[in-house]
Amino acid sequence: MVDQFLLFLAGLAGGFIAGLLGIGGGMVFIIVLPFALLEIGVPETEIVQYTIANSLFGTFFASLSGNITHVRTKTFYLREVLYIGISGAVASILFLEFVVNTPYYSKTIFNVFLILFLGFLLIRSFFIKDKKGSEGKTKRNPLIVSGSLAGAVSSLSGLGGGTVVIPMLNNYFRFDVKKAKSISIGMILISTGANVIYNMNATPMYDIDYYNYGYIVMPIAISLSLGVMLAAPIGVMTSLKMSSKNLKLVFAIFVAMIIVDKAIELISMLWD
């Protein structure tokens, strides 16, 4: 039986990180979910698909709660969110349909992709300085490209897409990190919402018959989401009080933790 309290605690942690960093709670969820899913009988051959689907479910509620706080504090940017969010939603569904929810997207490929992508982000966070000021008028096409890339990464990793949007807005559009984080949370709401609808109506290769709709396992997803809804606003309010430099440091620490966890898991799989 799945420990609902531990999943709730994971939701609290993921929700806080989602609100704080604007990247969704997937950084916590992708570590915790495989253990819970294996416990209820999800086979190794489809653990990645179930993990990504339920991670994005929790991330949706994290971004929902975070966006409500941004609207209340008047730090919500509708135009940019719509361009990036809609393009991200389209790209993420296409990647789910033709890449992720297929027999070819294995746990090994999933871990290799995460390690390489997060390793790149970690290097970028230390060697590329944040850019401030001189923010020009954002154009539609670059925003759509940013959203599409973020949507693809979201569906492949379960992280939400903010790990792409924030660096691109900051380094190419010269948005301050805090504004980029706010736009990222808005984008995540739209793209993960589309993902949740898709995954609830998908047909798993192996149906576990455990109160699930498609790939979404409701006892697990709801436990995560309850914690997320409580903690995400706290994360948003905390981020508004922190400097961009400290936010960047916290981001780097969590990325490094996930790389280590997934590297150990990958080595164990290859060793066996």
Side-chain angles (χ1 to χ4, degrees), residues 163-208:
T163 48
V164 172
V165 169
I166 294 175
M168 291 195 73
L169 291 182
N170 177 240
N171 289 289
Y172 296 103
F173 297 148
R174 302 184 71 86
F175 281 26
D176 178 75
V177 170
K178 290 187 178 181
K179 182 173 181 179
K181 183 186 73 67
S182 173
I183 296 171
S184 172
I185 292 179
M187 169 267 175
I188 290 170
L189 177 68
I190 297 174
S191 63
T192 56
N195 273 304
V196 167
I197 294 172
Y198 174 87
N199 280 314
M200 290 186 75
N201 290 280
T203 303
M205 292 175 282
Y206 181 89
D207 192 345
I208 57 173

Side-chain angles (χ1 to χ4, degrees), residues 2 26-27 29 31 75 190 201 205 245 251 255 267 272:
V2 179
M27 284 196 169
F29 304 152
I31 295 175
T75 53
I190 297 174
N201 290 280
M205 292 175 282
K245 181 179 179 180
F251 173 77
V255 167
I267 292 171
D272 292 339

Side-chain angles (χ1 to χ4, degrees), residues 3 47 109 121 137 146 153 162-163 193-194 198 204 213 266:
D3 192 324
I47 194 69
I109 296 175
L121 289 179
K137 182 179 179 181
S146 301
V153 171
T163 48
Y198 174 87
Y213 294 90
L266 180 62

Side-chain angles (χ1 to χ4, degrees), residues 58-220:
T59 299
F60 169 78
F61 283 96
S63 61
L64 174 62
S65 186
N67 276 293
I68 291 172
T69 304
H70 276 298
V71 170
R72 288 175 177 173
T73 57
K74 298 181 180 179
T75 53
F76 184 80
Y77 306 94
L78 180 61
R79 176 179 176 272
E80 291 86 349
V81 166
L82 287 177
Y83 279 132
I84 294 179
I86 293 173
S87 58
V90 172
S92 63
I93 289 176
L94 289 175
F95 270 79
L96 282 175
E97 176 68 24
F98 296 108
V99 180
V100 176
N101 292 349
T102 68
Y104 308 106
Y105 198 62
S106 66
K107 191 174 182 179
T108 300
I109 296 175
F110 172 69
N111 283 340
V112 169
F113 173 80
L114 275 179
I115 291 168
L116 293 176
F117 176 69
L118 293 177
F120 166 77
L121 289 179
L122 189 61
I123 293 171
R124 191 211 69 85
S125 69
F126 281 109
F127 292 101
I128 300 179
K129 294 182 178 180
D130 291 332
K131 298 179 180 178
K132 299 179 181 179
S134 302
E135 179 185 320
K137 182 179 179 181
T138 52
K139 298 180 180 180
R140 180 180 59 188
N141 290 342
L143 288 173
I144 291 174
V145 171
S146 301
S148 299
L149 181 58
V153 171
S154 174
S155 61
L156 290 169
S157 67
L159 294 178
T163 48
V164 172
V165 169
I166 294 175
M168 291 195 73
L169 291 182
N170 177 240
N171 289 289
Y172 296 103
F173 297 148
R174 302 184 71 86
F175 281 26
D176 178 75
V177 170
K178 290 187 178 181
K179 182 173 181 179
K181 183 186 73 67
S182 173
I183 296 171
S184 172
I185 292 179
M187 169 267 175
I188 290 170
L189 177 68
I190 297 174
S191 63
T192 56
N195 273 304
V196 167
I197 294 172
Y198 174 87
N199 280 314
M200 290 186 75
N201 290 280
T203 303
M205 292 175 282
Y206 181 89
D207 192 345
I208 57 173
D209 193 23
Y210 189 87
Y211 307 104
N212 63 301
Y213 294 90
Y215 285 107
I216 306 295
V217 184
M218 297 311 294
I220 291 175

